[in-house]
Coordinates of all heavy atoms in Angstrom, one line a residue:
K75 N 7.7 21.3 -62.2 CA 8.8 22.3 -62.3 C 8.2 23.6 -62.9 O 7.4 23.6 -63.8 CB 9.8 21.7 -63.3 CG 11.1 22.5 -63.3 CD 12.2 21.7 -64.0 CE 13.6 22.3 -63.7 NZ 14.6 21.5 -64.4
Q76 N 8.6 24.6 -62.2 CA 8.2 26.0 -62.6 C 9.4 26.9 -62.5 O 10.0 27.0 -61.4 CB 7.0 26.5 -61.7 CG 6.5 27.8 -62.1 CD 5.3 28.2 -61.3 OE1 4.5 27.4 -60.9 NE2 5.2 29.5 -61.1
N77 N 9.7 27.6 -63.6 CA 10.9 28.5 -63.6 C 12.1 27.8 -63.1 O 12.8 28.4 -62.2 CB 10.6 29.8 -62.9 CG 9.4 30.6 -63.5 OD1 9.2 30.5 -64.7 ND2 8.7 31.3 -62.7
D78 N 12.4 26.6 -63.5 CA 13.6 25.9 -63.1 C 13.7 25.5 -61.6 O 14.7 25.2 -61.1 CB 14.9 26.6 -63.5 CG 15.1 26.7 -65.0 OD1 14.7 25.8 -65.7 OD2 15.6 27.8 -65.5
T79 N 12.5 25.5 -61.0 CA 12.5 25.1 -59.6 C 11.4 24.0 -59.4 O 10.3 24.2 -59.9 CB 12.1 26.3 -58.7 OG1 13.1 27.3 -58.8 CG2 12.1 25.9 -57.2
W80 N 11.7 23.0 -58.7 CA 10.8 21.9 -58.4 C 9.9 22.3 -57.2 O 10.5 22.7 -56.2 CB 11.5 20.6 -58.1 CG 12.0 20.0 -59.4 CD1 13.3 20.0 -59.8 CD2 11.3 19.3 -60.4 NE1 13.4 19.3 -61.0 CE2 12.2 18.8 -61.4 CE3 9.9 18.9 -60.6 CZ2 11.8 18.1 -62.5 CZ3 9.6 18.2 -61.7 CH2 10.5 17.8 -62.6
L81 N 8.6 22.3 -57.4 CA 7.7 22.7 -56.4 C 6.6 21.6 -56.1 O 6.3 20.9 -57.1 CB 6.9 24.0 -56.8 CG 7.8 25.2 -57.1 CD1 7.0 26.3 -57.8 CD2 8.4 25.7 -55.8
P82 N 6.2 21.5 -54.9 CA 5.2 20.5 -54.6 C 3.8 20.9 -55.2 O 3.4 22.0 -55.2 CB 5.1 20.4 -53.1 CG 5.6 21.7 -52.6 CD 6.5 22.2 -53.7
Y83 N 3.0 19.9 -55.6 CA 1.7 20.1 -56.0 C 0.9 20.5 -54.7 O 1.3 20.2 -53.6 CB 1.0 18.9 -56.6 CG 1.4 18.7 -58.1 CD1 2.3 17.6 -58.5 CD2 0.9 19.5 -59.1 CE1 2.6 17.5 -59.8 CE2 1.2 19.3 -60.4 CZ 2.1 18.3 -60.8 OH 2.4 18.1 -62.1
A84 N -0.3 21.1 -54.9 CA -1.1 21.6 -53.8 C -1.3 20.6 -52.7 O -1.2 20.9 -51.5 CB -2.4 22.2 -54.3
K85 N -1.5 19.4 -53.1 CA -1.8 18.3 -52.1 C -0.7 18.1 -51.1 O -0.9 17.7 -50.0 CB -2.1 17.0 -52.9 CG -2.4 15.8 -52.1 CD -2.6 14.6 -52.9 CE -2.8 13.3 -52.1 NZ -3.1 12.1 -52.9
Y86 N 0.6 18.4 -51.6 CA 1.7 18.2 -50.8 C 2.4 19.5 -50.2 O 3.3 19.5 -49.5 CB 2.8 17.4 -51.6 CG 2.3 16.1 -52.0 CD1 1.8 15.9 -53.3 CD2 2.3 15.0 -51.1 CE1 1.3 14.6 -53.7 CE2 1.8 13.8 -51.5 CZ 1.3 13.6 -52.8 OH 0.9 12.4 -53.2
S87 N 1.8 20.6 -50.6 CA 2.5 21.9 -50.3 C 2.4 22.3 -48.9 O 3.3 23.1 -48.4 CB 1.9 23.0 -51.2 OG 0.5 23.2 -50.9
N88 N 1.5 21.8 -48.1 CA 1.4 22.2 -46.7 C 1.8 21.1 -45.7 O 1.5 21.2 -44.5 CB 0.0 22.7 -46.4 CG -0.4 24.0 -47.1 OD1 0.5 24.9 -47.2 ND2 -1.6 24.2 -47.5
L89 N 2.5 20.1 -46.2 CA 2.9 19.0 -45.4 C 4.3 19.2 -44.8 O 4.8 18.3 -44.0 CB 2.9 17.7 -46.2 CG 1.5 17.3 -46.7 CD1 1.6 16.0 -47.5 CD2 0.4 17.2 -45.6
G90 N 5.0 20.3 -45.1 CA 6.3 20.5 -44.6 C 7.4 19.6 -45.2 O 8.4 19.3 -44.5
L91 N 7.2 19.2 -46.4 CA 8.1 18.3 -47.0 C 9.3 19.0 -47.7 O 10.4 18.5 -47.8 CB 7.5 17.4 -48.1 CG 6.2 16.6 -47.6 CD1 5.6 15.9 -48.8 CD2 6.7 15.6 -46.6
Y92 N 9.0 20.3 -48.1 CA 10.0 21.1 -48.8 C 10.3 22.3 -48.1 O 9.5 22.9 -47.4 CB 9.4 21.5 -50.2 CG 9.2 20.4 -51.2 CD1 8.1 19.6 -51.1 CD2 10.1 20.1 -52.2 CE1 7.9 18.5 -52.0 CE2 9.9 19.1 -53.1 CZ 8.8 18.3 -53.0 OH 8.6 17.3 -53.9
D93 N 11.5 22.8 -48.3 CA 11.9 24.2 -47.8 C 12.4 24.9 -49.1 O 13.4 24.5 -49.7 CB 13.0 24.0 -46.8 CG 13.4 25.4 -46.2 OD1 12.6 26.3 -46.3 OD2 14.5 25.4 -45.6
I94 N 11.7 25.9 -49.5 CA 12.1 26.7 -50.7 C 12.9 27.9 -50.2 O 12.4 28.7 -49.4 CB 10.8 27.2 -51.4 CG1 9.8 26.0 -51.6 CG2 11.2 27.8 -52.7 CD1 10.2 24.9 -52.5
K95 N 14.1 27.9 -50.6 CA 15.0 29.0 -50.2 C 15.2 30.0 -51.4 O 15.3 29.6 -52.6 CB 16.4 28.5 -49.8 CG 16.3 27.6 -48.6 CD 17.6 27.2 -48.1 CE 17.5 26.1 -47.0 NZ 17.3 26.7 -45.7
Q96 N 15.2 31.3 -51.1 CA 15.3 32.3 -52.1 C 16.7 32.9 -52.0 O 17.3 33.1 -50.9 CB 14.3 33.4 -51.9 CG 14.4 34.5 -52.9 CD 13.4 35.6 -52.7 OE1 12.4 35.4 -51.9 NE2 13.6 36.8 -53.3
G97 N 17.3 33.2 -53.2 CA 18.6 33.8 -53.2 C 18.7 34.9 -54.3 O 17.8 34.9 -55.2
V98 N 19.7 35.7 -54.3 CA 19.9 36.7 -55.3 C 21.4 36.6 -55.8 O 22.3 36.6 -54.9 CB 19.7 38.1 -54.7 CG1 19.9 39.1 -55.8 CG2 18.3 38.2 -54.2
T99 N 21.6 36.5 -57.1 CA 22.9 36.5 -57.6 C 23.6 37.9 -57.6 O 22.9 38.9 -57.3 CB 22.9 35.9 -59.1 OG1 22.2 36.8 -59.9 CG2 22.4 34.6 -59.2
S100 N 24.8 37.9 -57.9 CA 25.5 39.2 -57.9 C 25.0 40.2 -58.9 O 25.1 41.4 -58.7 CB 27.0 39.0 -58.1 OG 27.3 38.4 -59.3
N101 N 24.4 39.7 -60.0 CA 23.8 40.6 -61.0 C 22.3 40.9 -60.7 O 21.7 41.5 -61.5 CB 24.0 40.1 -62.4 CG 23.2 38.8 -62.6 OD1 22.5 38.3 -61.7 ND2 23.3 38.3 -63.8
G102 N 21.8 40.5 -59.5 CA 20.4 40.9 -59.1 C 19.4 39.9 -59.5 O 18.2 40.1 -59.3
H103 N 19.8 38.8 -60.2 CA 18.8 37.7 -60.5 C 18.3 37.0 -59.3 O 19.1 36.5 -58.5 CB 19.4 36.8 -61.5 CG 18.6 35.6 -61.9 ND1 17.5 35.7 -62.7 CD2 18.7 34.3 -61.5 CE1 16.9 34.5 -62.7 NE2 17.6 33.6 -62.0
V104 N 17.0 36.9 -59.1 CA 16.4 36.2 -58.0 C 16.2 34.7 -58.4 O 15.7 34.4 -59.5 CB 15.1 36.8 -57.6 CG1 14.4 36.0 -56.4 CG2 15.3 38.2 -57.1
Y105 N 16.6 33.8 -57.5 CA 16.4 32.4 -57.8 C 15.9 31.7 -56.6 O 15.9 32.2 -55.5 CB 17.8 31.7 -58.3 CG 18.8 31.7 -57.2 CD1 18.9 30.6 -56.3 CD2 19.7 32.7 -57.0 CE1 19.8 30.5 -55.3 CE2 20.6 32.7 -56.0 CZ 20.7 31.6 -55.1 OH 21.6 31.5 -54.1
Y106 N 15.3 30.5 -56.8 CA 14.7 29.7 -55.7 C 15.4 28.4 -55.8 O 15.6 27.8 -56.8 CB 13.2 29.6 -55.9 CG 12.5 30.9 -55.8 CD1 12.3 31.7 -57.0 CD2 12.2 31.5 -54.6 CE1 11.7 32.9 -56.9 CE2 11.6 32.7 -54.5 CZ 11.3 33.4 -55.7 OH 10.7 34.7 -55.6
N107 N 15.6 27.8 -54.6 CA 16.2 26.5 -54.4 C 15.3 25.7 -53.5 O 15.1 26.0 -52.4 CB 17.6 26.7 -53.8 CG 18.3 25.4 -53.7 OD1 17.9 24.4 -54.2 ND2 19.4 25.4 -53.0
S108 N 14.8 24.6 -54.1 CA 13.9 23.7 -53.4 C 14.7 22.6 -52.7 O 15.5 21.9 -53.4 CB 12.9 23.1 -54.4 OG 12.0 22.3 -53.7
Q109 N 14.6 22.4 -51.4 CA 15.3 21.4 -50.7 C 14.2 20.6 -49.9 O 13.2 21.1 -49.6 CB 16.4 22.0 -49.8 CG 17.4 22.7 -50.6 CD 18.5 23.2 -49.7 OE1 18.5 23.1 -48.5 NE2 19.5 23.8 -50.3
F110 N 14.6 19.4 -49.5 CA 13.7 18.6 -48.7 C 14.0 18.7 -47.2 O 15.2 18.8 -46.8 CB 13.9 17.1 -49.1 CG 13.5 16.8 -50.5 CD1 14.4 16.8 -51.5 CD2 12.2 16.4 -50.7 CE1 14.0 16.5 -52.8 CE2 11.8 16.1 -52.0 CZ 12.7 16.2 -53.1
T111 N 13.0 18.8 -46.4 CA 13.1 18.9 -44.9 C 13.3 17.5 -44.4 O 13.3 16.5 -45.2 CB 11.8 19.4 -44.3 OG1 10.8 18.5 -44.6 CG2 11.5 20.8 -44.8
Q112 N 13.6 17.3 -43.2 CA 13.7 16.0 -42.6 C 12.4 15.2 -42.8 O 12.5 14.0 -43.1 CB 14.0 16.0 -41.1 CG 14.1 14.7 -40.4 CD 15.2 13.8 -40.9 OE1 16.2 14.3 -41.4 NE2 15.1 12.5 -40.7
K113 N 11.3 15.8 -42.7 CA 10.0 15.2 -42.9 C 9.9 14.8 -44.4 O 9.4 13.7 -44.7 CB 8.9 16.1 -42.5 CG 7.5 15.5 -42.5 CD 6.5 16.5 -42.0 CE 5.1 15.9 -42.0 NZ 4.1 16.8 -41.5
G114 N 10.4 15.6 -45.3 CA 10.4 15.3 -46.7 C 11.3 14.2 -47.0 O 11.0 13.3 -47.8

Side-chain angles (χ1 to χ4, degrees):
K75 196 168 192 177
Q76 181 175 328
N77 297 329
D78 292 326
T79 302
W80 287 102
L81 301 169
Y83 281 110
K85 180 179 178 180
Y86 299 97
S87 65
N88 291 327
L89 300 179
L91 305 177
Y92 293 82
D93 185 18
I94 313 295
K95 300 187 185 276
Q96 178 182 346
V98 181
T99 62
S100 58
N101 66 359
H103 173 73
V104 176
Y105 66 91
Y106 297 92
N107 182 12
S108 181
Q109 297 182 358
F110 295 91
T111 62
Q112 177 65 26
K113 188 174 181 181

